[in-house]
Amino acid sequence: MSAAVHLARAVRSELTKLSWRSPVWLAIVPIAVALPLAVNASLAVASRMNKINGGGGMDTNNAGYWVMIFATIILMSAGVSSLSNEFRYATAQLVYCVQTRRWVLPVAKLIVFGVIAAVAVLVTMVILLAVFPVVFPTVWGRVDMGSPAGIRLLWALPVFAFCVCALGVGIAALVPRPGVVVGGVLLWKFGIEAFSAMLPVKVGNAVQRWMPFKNGELGAGQYPTSHPAFGGANGALLYFALVAAVFFVLGTVRLSRRDLATD
């Protein structure tokens, strides 16, 4: 039987596990969609009431900021938890009895949870770009879904979300502990990358050009605050995708070798 058939069966198996009572549908996806919408709506209302300084209103290339901050990490946690739980509850051994190709399990996880993340982010961005300018015209009036910046958010931000999921699943294959994985990603994104902005200007600018999340967010359509080292937004997104792919491949190889050694 071909590898493609085995992979297709593994993907169907993962989808079967996601019953309507799954926390993915009841909590993770709703929170990932609702939280950025709620934050943006709250800020728009506060700005309209002059409770905060809205800085003249929202621009299209800043409309996906809270989606990048919240939704991508929340959705990543679904794939991380799913893969980690296979080892926590020893169900991975049952999977391997049926499917001897070890790489199929993490790849199937990535396909299912990566697509869920991409679709959830796309839905969130459509709501932000299409509905918010109508509901909050004084704040979101300049946001244009049909502009180059808006179109980029609609395709590049879902790609970014898929890559974040690949990064998380890859690290989970290396260290199958969801708290450690999510905490490590958060520490890097909000600790190390944020700290790099506090370095002396020349050093900080040079370091930030190589920060993975910084490049990924710029490539996904966020307003650029630094010059990427990879020839613009497309190069920056490709760089982040490459970093995510490296971790995913390393995790998959490590998972295969470890399991084969203990058979």
Side-chain angles (χ1 to χ4, degrees), residues 4 6 18 29 46 68 88-89 102 118 120 129-130 136 144 168 183 198 206 210 225 242 246 255:
H6 283 292
L18 295 176
V29 170
M68 297 177 191
R88 179 182 179 184
Y89 299 111
R102 272 43 176 189
L129 295 176
F136 306 107
D144 182 6
M198 303 177 188
W210 294 92
T225 56
L242 180 61
V246 167
L255 186 62

Side-chain angles (χ1 to χ4, degrees), residues 152 209 215 218 227-237 239:
R152 182 166 198 90
R209 295 180 69 190
N215 277 275
L218 188 154
H227 298 288
F230 306 96
N234 290 335
L237 184 60
Y239 169 66

Side-chain angles (χ1 to χ4, degrees), residues 143-198:
V143 174
D144 182 6
M145 184 166 63
S147 66
I151 293 172
R152 182 166 198 90
L153 284 170
L154 290 177
W155 73 263
L157 190 45
V159 170
F160 174 70
F162 185 94
C163 292
V164 172
C165 190
L167 176 65
V169 171
I171 299 175
L174 291 168
V175 185
R177 293 177 175 81
V180 174
V181 176
V182 175
V185 172
L186 290 174
L187 176 62
W188 181 272
K189 178 176 172 58
F190 297 108
I192 295 176
E193 292 205 4
F195 174 75
S196 68
M198 303 177 188

Side-chain angles (χ1 to χ4, degrees), residues 19-230:
S19 68
W20 65 271
R21 293 178 296 179
S22 170
V24 173
W25 307 125
L26 295 180
I28 294 178
V29 170
I31 292 173
V33 173
L35 187 56
L37 296 179
V39 171
N40 278 298
S42 299
L43 293 175
V45 170
S47 178
R48 190 169 58 184
M49 296 174 62
N50 295 319
K51 298 295 183 180
I52 63 171
N53 180 10
M58 179 65 70
D59 291 310
T60 305
N61 58 8
N62 203 36
Y65 177 76
W66 295 111
V67 179
M68 297 177 191
I69 293 296
F70 292 124
T72 55
I73 302 298
I74 293 171
L75 293 164
M76 178 201 75
S77 69
V80 169
S81 296
S82 181
L83 182 60
S84 299
N85 286 341
E86 296 283 0
F87 300 94
R88 179 182 179 184
Y89 299 111
T91 54
Q93 297 303 322
L94 298 176
V95 174
Y96 293 154
C97 288
V98 178
Q99 169 54 258
T100 58
R101 293 178 172 89
R102 272 43 176 189
W103 60 266
V104 169
L105 180 61
V107 172
K109 297 285 187 185
L110 173 59
I111 292 174
V112 171
F113 290 98
V115 170
I116 290 174
V119 172
V121 164
L122 176 60
V123 170
T124 307
M125 286 312 306
V126 168
I127 295 173
L128 286 173
L129 295 176
V131 177
F132 272 52
V134 177
V135 178
F136 306 107
T138 58
V139 181
W140 282 70
R142 293 200 305 268
V143 174
D144 182 6
M145 184 166 63
S147 66
I151 293 172
R152 182 166 198 90
L153 284 170
L154 290 177
W155 73 263
L157 190 45
V159 170
F160 174 70
F162 185 94
C163 292
V164 172
C165 190
L167 176 65
V169 171
I171 299 175
L174 291 168
V175 185
R177 293 177 175 81
V180 174
V181 176
V182 175
V185 172
L186 290 174
L187 176 62
W188 181 272
K189 178 176 172 58
F190 297 108
I192 295 176
E193 292 205 4
F195 174 75
S196 68
M198 303 177 188
L199 296 172
V201 176
K202 290 185 178 180
V203 176
N205 289 340
V207 170
Q208 286 186 65
R209 295 180 69 190
W210 294 92
M211 291 289 100
F213 277 98
K214 191 76 172 178
N215 277 275
E217 291 168 359
L218 188 154
Q222 178 62 21
Y223 179 80
T225 56
S226 62
H227 298 288
F230 306 96

